């Protein structure tokens, strides 16, 4: 495997759309009341990625094995203002990391996470944060192995 990672550009939006479907499907299966089960050719998803890629506040990278895309990391930068209750800070939020199933366990996710951490350092973020849903035990274990700790627990009651 010859793994390379490069920043995504607007023209990569269809690739990101295809790569996100596996993760989206798992989330839609677990929480159908929250996540949409979308078709891989959905133009709305591609347009959403294009709009994300238009902003420097949304760094996204694609991992390639040769010239085949095998995973991606989508992030966003969040700036919180200082106020009497909390300190102001900049956070890099990992919105999504997804690796094609055939490439799981081969270091692709680790390399994408390293890319995100490098971006956080470059952008002078004070922390990197993310949300992992409870059903996604493999992702929880992955992030914990890489030094992430649980900060809070979101609770929901459907009405």
């Amino acid at each position: 495997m010859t793994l390379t990672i490069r920043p995504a550009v607007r023209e990569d939006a269809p690739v990101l759309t295809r790569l996100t479907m596996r993760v989206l499907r798992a989330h839609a299966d677990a929480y159908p009341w929250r996540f949409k089960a979308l078709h891989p050719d959905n133009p709305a998803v591609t347009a959403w990625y294009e709009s994300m890629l238009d902003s420097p506040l949304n760094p996204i990278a694609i991992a390639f094995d040769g010239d085949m895309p095998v995973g991606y990391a989508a992030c966003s930068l969040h700036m919180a203002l200082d106020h009497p209750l909390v300190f102001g800070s900049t956070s890099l939020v990992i919105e999504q990391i997804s690796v094609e199933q055939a490439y799981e366990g081969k270091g692709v996710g680790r390399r994408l996470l390293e890319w995100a951490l490098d971006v956080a350092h470059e952008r002078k973020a004070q922390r990197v944060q993310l949300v992992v849903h409870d059903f996604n035990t493999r992702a929880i274990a992955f992030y914990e192995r890489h030094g992430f700790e649980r900060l809070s627990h979101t609770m929901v009651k459907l009405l």
Side-chain angles (χ1 to χ4, degrees):
M1 176 173 70
T2 306
L3 188 66
T4 58
I5 295 176
R6 70 157 170 81
V9 295
R10 195 172 211 275
E11 292 74 28
D12 291 321
V15 171
L16 294 167
T17 299
R18 183 183 62 74
L19 289 171
T20 200
M21 286 301 144
R22 181 169 163 257
V23 169
L24 182 61
R25 196 171 311 113
H27 284 72
D29 288 348
Y31 304 120
W33 53 269
R34 174 147 171 74
F35 294 96
K36 298 176 181 181
L38 298 172
H39 190 273
D41 296 325
N42 189 306
V45 178
T46 301
W48 179 72
Y49 274 115
E50 288 172 346
S51 70
M52 288 200 40
L53 289 163
D54 286 342
S55 171
L57 297 177
N58 298 311
I60 301 174
I62 301 176
F64 291 87
D65 179 10
D67 57 358
M68 186 168 107
V70 297
Y72 74 99
C75 303
S76 60
L77 284 161
H78 293 254
M79 281 65 78
L81 298 176
D82 192 82
H83 65 76
L85 302 179
V86 297
F87 296 105
S89 64
T90 300
S91 300
L92 182 87
V93 177
I94 298 174
E95 304 288 351
Q96 304 161 341
I97 289 183
S98 177
V99 175
E100 293 285 85
Q101 191 168 6
Y103 287 84
E104 286 182 354
K106 296 182 178 180
V108 177
R110 177 184 50 79
R111 291 275 309 276
L112 287 165
L113 180 57
E114 289 169 354
W115 172 86
L117 294 172
D118 288 344
V119 169
H121 287 294
E122 290 168 10
R123 305 284 182 99
K124 300 193 180 349
Q126 285 78 36
R127 70 179 152 271
V128 175
Q129 60 191 57
L130 53 94
V131 172
V132 181
H133 293 282
D134 284 345
F135 80 90
N136 200 347
T137 56
R138 289 187 68 193
I140 292 168
F142 170 80
Y143 290 115
E144 286 177 341
R145 275 194 315 275
H146 290 90
F148 285 74
E149 11 180 284
R150 296 175 193 220
L151 177 64
S152 64
H153 197 91
T154 300
M155 300 177 76
V156 173
K157 179 177 181 173
L158 297 180
L159 302 177

